[in-house]
Amino acid sequence: MSSLPGFLPPDPRVEEPYRVSPQIAIRIGIIGIIAIALFAALFFRLWALQVISGERYLEEARNNQIRTFRAPAPRGAISDRNGRLLVTNKPGTLVQLWPAALLELTPERRRAVFRRLGELLNLPQNELNAALRRGKTDPLTPVTVKEGVHDQKVMYLKEHQAKFPGVQVTDTHLRRYVESGIAAQILGYVSEISPEQLEGRKDKGYVAGDRIGQAGVEASFDRYLRGVAGEGDVRVDALGRVTSEPKFSQHPEAGYSVRLTIDTELQRAAEDAVRYGIRLAHEDGEWAANGGAIVAMDPNTGEVLALASNPTFDPSVYVGRVQPGELRRLADPAANHPTLNRAVGGLYPPGSTFKPVTALAAMQEGFLSPTELIQCTPKITIGEDNQVFRNWDPFKNEPMELTTAIANSCDTYFYQVALEAYERPDTPIQRWARRFGFGSASGVGIGPEGDGLIPTPAWRRRTFKGIDRIWTSGDSAQLGIGQGDVLVTPVQMARFYALLANGGRLVEPSLVKQIEQPSTEGNAAVVIRPFAPPKPRDLGLDPAALRFLQEGLYDATHASYGTATSVFSDFPRPIAGKTGTAEKYVELPGYKGLRDQSWWCGFGPYGDPELVVCAVIENGGHGGVAAAPAALKVFEKFFGVEPGSYSSGSVESD
């Protein structure tokens, strides 16, 4: 073989080094065919997956979605001071919308789902649309649209899930009010958190759809009662049906129980007593009597044993299927605000029950001696305009010491004491009234609580215009007998009478004894946090002044001239207290004008007090006719005295 320029010299070991042999060509061809076949098979498979089986695999993917969920914790129970259950839980059912799933539907299909769901659950379309709009901000969190759904409807939803994509049925815990409407305003109720409430509580672990306490103890102690919600995930199919067991990353933890200071039987007696007082007022011709409140308190600790308010309501109306008609009835002005807790939020002029405030302030300041004689006259003329102020009893005209004036409830005696205060620039009655707890919330622990009003010259200048800005001697006279602009709540009055009973110590009312870990089989409840009543505050009052007032209050229920003697004198336990009749401007259906508010506040047994009771009957007339007999019913229950075992009546008195 000849050599060619530029090529390597031939290798003697290779016969033809640069030529492809037939054997190599065959091998290359086979490899190429195999490669082409493999690529063709791969291409066909990809095409089959995309075109032929794409819908099937998409459906399988949809049927294998993982959905996170939040499991609400059972709320803690509420019991009375003896452990008697007032609120527990019962099993219930929620119907919820999954915004993420519904937003994937076409508008036409979503409207069809809402139409079917609305017809099944009696829900208007706009309510369902509003729920979906709320859920758009957090589409993975379900939105509750119905609670306490009937079993038949639950079964229908589950059996026809294909017609309700994005709708799920969930088990939950609903509140059960064991004693029906007893202590309704104390206990409160639970409902879904509002957007406004959520805005201020996001940093505390609340989310849309959570149910929270909206009033009473349910609201004030929600952080203890609500527990800790659980979290987990489940697999669901394309229709939102659960296809796997739930897997919890955190199990729900039940809320703590709350033990109140309330005694259930005394609470029931107090609520019955308010209704009794209203009936007595009607029988006495007071047609406008339409509500009231009673507070029963331990005068030594401030523990509230009963807190009755009328009219009342059944908190179970907020559980499960909330009927719009029931809510409209509660909101109707003719219903007289049944959800208002009048014992802590009702504002009334106290009338003659305020006279001990005036007397105690005057004695502390030194311009009244309890033994000095002041003429109790049928009327008195006050001020430059010679305004006439009358005594409630036009036949009284005699000199009186303090104890007699208290028992008689002589208005003109206390007008003269108040005029002494008018001459002083430091408003002593108002100053001491505030020290006694008036003009500010008592701190009882549930709300909304009224502050009340102790009017002063500075307040009048801020509030009125022109000549009405001037504080006159007439304003001081009205204040001295608990009239004019002064306003108090029943719990404030009970607090003051506790001070008179216990020797001058101002208690802080309390409604909750402790927070508990619920008891289990074989194990007692564990106290998580005790709420011991705060130590009463000693105001440094003159013991002699207090003794004179206590004697006057005892005479008011036992002396022949006492304004409540016919009610309390024969009661087996000695009771001391004061009636009150206070004019208040009211607006009622078909009537506007002044009506008398019936009051009685007092304590017993005299000398060793165990219970303070303060009662008010709205528009109930004289204190001795309605409020005093109502308060007596509470004493009967507390001391175990059988009604009718002694003589008792009523009297038209201040």
Side-chain angles (χ1 to χ4, degrees):
M1 181 179 294
S2 61
S3 60
L4 296 173
F7 281 78
L8 293 172
D11 189 339
R13 293 169 298 177
V14 178
E15 184 177 352
E16 292 180 307
Y18 303 111
R19 184 177 296 173
V20 177
S21 67
Q23 293 82 358
I24 294 176
I26 291 171
R27 291 174 184 169
I28 293 173
I30 292 172
I31 293 172
I33 291 170
I34 292 172
I36 292 171
L38 288 174
F39 278 110
L42 181 60
F43 176 78
F44 179 78
R45 181 58 177 163
L46 291 173
W47 177 80
L49 289 173
Q50 183 70 27
V51 178
I52 299 176
S53 304
E55 288 297 324
R56 179 166 62 88
Y57 286 113
L58 179 61
E59 187 66 21
E60 289 180 1
R62 287 175 174 167
N63 289 338
N64 200 32
Q65 296 180 82
I66 295 178
R67 181 174 290 170
T68 60
F69 66 87
R70 180 180 171 91
R75 284 180 76 84
I78 303 175
S79 64
D80 78 348
R81 66 187 297 110
N82 303 309
R84 182 170 175 175
L85 288 175
L86 298 172
V87 188
T88 59
N89 296 312
K90 62 181 180 179
T93 307
L94 299 178
V95 174
Q96 298 177 314
L97 303 180
W98 278 96
L102 287 165
L103 292 171
E104 291 180 358
L105 303 178
T106 63
E108 293 77 13
R109 191 178 182 198
R110 191 160 57 240
R111 282 194 293 270
V113 171
F114 280 1
R115 184 179 66 254
R116 288 191 290 268
L117 187 63
E119 291 172 354
L120 179 66
L121 302 180
N122 298 319
L123 290 173
Q125 299 294 301
N126 59 350
E127 195 170 314
L128 293 171
N129 288 322
L132 182 60
R133 284 194 298 272
R134 291 199 306 271
K136 285 183 178 180
T137 57
D138 186 8
L140 296 179
T141 298
V143 180
T144 300
V145 294
K146 193 77 170 181
E147 280 188 354
V149 183
H150 286 303
D151 291 342
Q152 291 180 339
K153 294 184 177 181
V154 169
M155 291 302 298
Y156 183 87
L157 281 171
K158 290 181 176 180
E159 292 172 358
H160 299 82
Q161 187 67 64
K163 295 181 179 180
F164 301 97
V167 179
Q168 75 169 19
V169 178
T170 305
D171 293 332
T172 189
H173 308 276
L174 301 177
R175 290 309 247 174
R176 174 173 173 260
Y177 295 90
V178 180
E179 300 291 338
S180 188
I182 294 294
Q185 294 93 349
I186 297 174
L187 300 174
Y189 62 93
V190 175
S191 68
E192 186 172 340
I193 191 169
S194 69
E196 295 77 20
Q197 291 170 327
L198 180 60
E199 189 63 31
R201 304 192 188 192
K202 284 182 178 179
D203 59 340
K204 298 178 181 178
Y206 292 83
V207 299
D210 277 355
R211 300 187 62 74
I212 65 171
Q214 298 287 1
V217 172
E218 292 275 27
S220 297
F221 293 85
D222 185 75
R223 72 177 187 269
Y224 297 107
L225 290 165
R226 67 188 298 255
V228 180
E231 296 179 354
D233 58 64
V234 291
R235 293 186 182 276
V236 297
D237 62 18
L239 297 176
R241 294 176 297 201
V242 176
T243 60
S244 71
E245 291 296 320
K247 293 182 179 180
F248 282 94
S249 57
Q250 176 179 313
H251 285 274
E253 299 177 13
Y256 294 126
S257 297
V258 175
R259 185 182 291 249
L260 305 179
T261 62
I262 295 295
D263 180 281
T264 301
E265 291 306 315
L266 194 66
Q267 176 71 25
R268 192 189 308 277
E271 294 187 14
D272 290 343
V274 178
R275 288 189 286 270
Y276 175 66
I278 294 171
R279 179 167 63 81
L280 291 178
H282 289 164
E283 293 174 356
D284 196 50
E286 298 295 339
W287 59 268
N290 60 353
I294 287 180
V295 179
M297 179 189 297
D298 184 328
N300 301 301
T301 66
E303 286 192 335
V304 177
L305 304 180
L307 201 70
S309 179
N310 184 280
T312 186
F313 69 103
D314 187 346
S316 63
V317 301
Y318 292 96
V319 177
R321 297 178 297 277
V322 179
Q323 301 296 331
E326 287 290 333
L327 299 184
R328 284 194 295 271
R329 184 185 64 80
L330 291 176
D332 188 343
N336 197 20
H337 313 290
T339 58
L340 171 66
N341 190 338
R342 286 164 161 77
V344 301
L347 297 176
Y348 308 91
S352 293
T353 56
F354 194 79
K355 288 173 180 174
V357 176
T358 300
L360 192 51
M363 286 188 287
Q364 287 297 124
E365 292 294 314
F367 59 88
L368 173 66
S369 169
T371 57
E372 71 176 287
L373 294 174
I374 298 176
Q375 190 73 15
C376 176
T377 58
K379 62 182 179 180
I380 188 173
T381 302
I382 296 175
E384 295 180 356
D385 55 355
N386 294 321
Q387 187 176 1
V388 176
F389 286 75
R390 302 181 185 277
N391 186 25
W392 75 272
D393 184 351
F395 303 105
K396 286 290 181 183
N397 192 0
E398 61 183 85
M400 293 183 179
E401 294 181 346
L402 175 62
T403 55
T404 308
I406 288 284
N408 273 280
S409 195
C410 178
D411 293 326
T412 50
Y413 177 101
F414 288 95
Y415 289 147
Q416 295 176 70
V417 174
L419 289 176
E420 289 290 329
Y422 173 71
E423 299 298 330
R424 299 169 61 109
D426 56 348
T427 59
I429 295 176
Q430 293 95 322
R431 179 160 43 82
W432 278 98
R434 286 192 292 271
R435 290 190 66 182
F436 298 149
F438 296 104
S440 60
S442 71
V444 69
I446 60 172
E449 185 177 358
D451 288 337
L453 173 64
I454 298 298
T456 64
W459 167 84
R460 179 163 285 279
R461 288 192 297 271
R462 290 193 308 268
T463 306
F464 296 98
K465 296 180 180 179
I467 195 172
D468 291 334
R469 299 177 72 243
I470 301 174
W471 182 273
T472 67
S473 55
D475 294 317
S476 288
Q478 292 275 42
L479 174 67
I481 64 164
Q483 284 284 184
D485 296 308
V486 61
L487 293 172
V488 301
T489 65
V491 75
Q492 288 173 340
M493 291 303 302
R495 191 184 186 193
F496 172 69
Y497 274 76
L499 175 148
L500 297 178
N502 67 32
R505 293 173 292 121
L506 186 65
V507 298
E508 183 174 316
S510 60
L511 262 174
V512 173
K513 285 186 76 72
Q514 59 200 33
I515 308 298
E516 301 174 340
Q517 178 73 49
S519 60
T520 57
E521 189 173 350
N523 296 304
V526 177
V527 177
I528 301 300
R529 179 181 175 184
F531 282 87
K535 183 179 179 181
R537 182 155 42 95
D538 192 332
L539 299 186
L541 301 175
D542 181 1
L546 287 168
R547 281 197 300 273
F548 277 106
L549 280 175
Q550 291 167 351
E551 291 173 10
L553 294 173
Y554 180 82
D555 288 347
T557 55
H558 290 83
S560 60
Y561 47 83
T563 56
T565 296
S566 63
V567 180
F568 292 100
S569 61
D570 288 337
F571 189 70
R573 299 293 185 95
I575 306 297
K578 181 79 186 71
T579 56
T581 305
E583 284 188 334
K584 181 182 179 183
Y585 178 82
V586 298
E587 294 186 4
L588 303 171
Y591 176 86
K592 294 181 180 180
L594 294 173
R595 304 299 303 181
D596 287 336
Q597 313 303 299
S598 177
W599 279 94
W600 187 88
C601 292
F603 52 88
Y606 178 74
D608 186 19
E610 299 175 31
L611 187 70
V612 163
V613 177
C614 200
V616 60
I617 304 298
E618 289 183 5
N619 314 317
H622 294 284
V625 170
L632 180 63
K633 292 294 181 184
V634 181
F635 283 115
E636 285 179 347
K637 185 66 179 180
F638 184 81
F639 291 115
V641 175
E642 191 68 27
S645 63
Y646 62 98
S647 176
S648 178
S650 63
V651 62
E652 290 197 359
S653 62
D654 184 42

